[in-house]
Amino acid sequence: MPKPRPRIVVHPLAPSGGRRVYVDAESLGVAFDVRDLLEFLRRAGLDPEDVRFDDPVIEWRGGGPDVRSIATD
């Protein structure tokens, strides 16, 4: 039986910068850019090559991937 997909929550941008990332209620840290977020998702068992930021497994709070709250450059 396949392992269930993790529940990922990306919190709003903090005043000090970055967005806290939780996987199944465990804090993985603060993502300051897309590379950080992809690394957290890799640690959660997702293949970064297959990650789509509009995937429903990711719950975006305070703006989704279309909001420039994690630097894309």
Side-chain angles (χ1 to χ4, degrees):
M1 180 172 253
K3 181 179 172 184
R5 294 183 75 191
R7 180 170 176 262
I8 300 158
V9 179
V10 180
H11 286 267
L13 186 64
S16 59
R19 295 178 79 161
R20 184 151 301 278
V21 178
Y22 284 81
V23 175
D24 293 333
E26 176 185 347
S27 175
L28 292 184
V30 178
F32 290 95
D33 57 33
V34 171
R35 290 180 306 257
D36 293 341
L37 180 57
L38 289 172
E39 174 59 19
F40 293 150
L41 298 180
R42 186 193 64 75
R43 291 182 198 171
L46 299 174
D47 182 348
E49 297 292 323
D50 296 333
V51 170
R52 289 185 359 258
F53 290 130
D54 62 348
D55 191 318
V57 74
I58 303 174
E59 178 184 336
W60 294 88
R61 296 186 182 171
D66 55 331
V67 174
R68 193 170 167 82
S69 53
I70 293 182
T72 57
D73 41 298

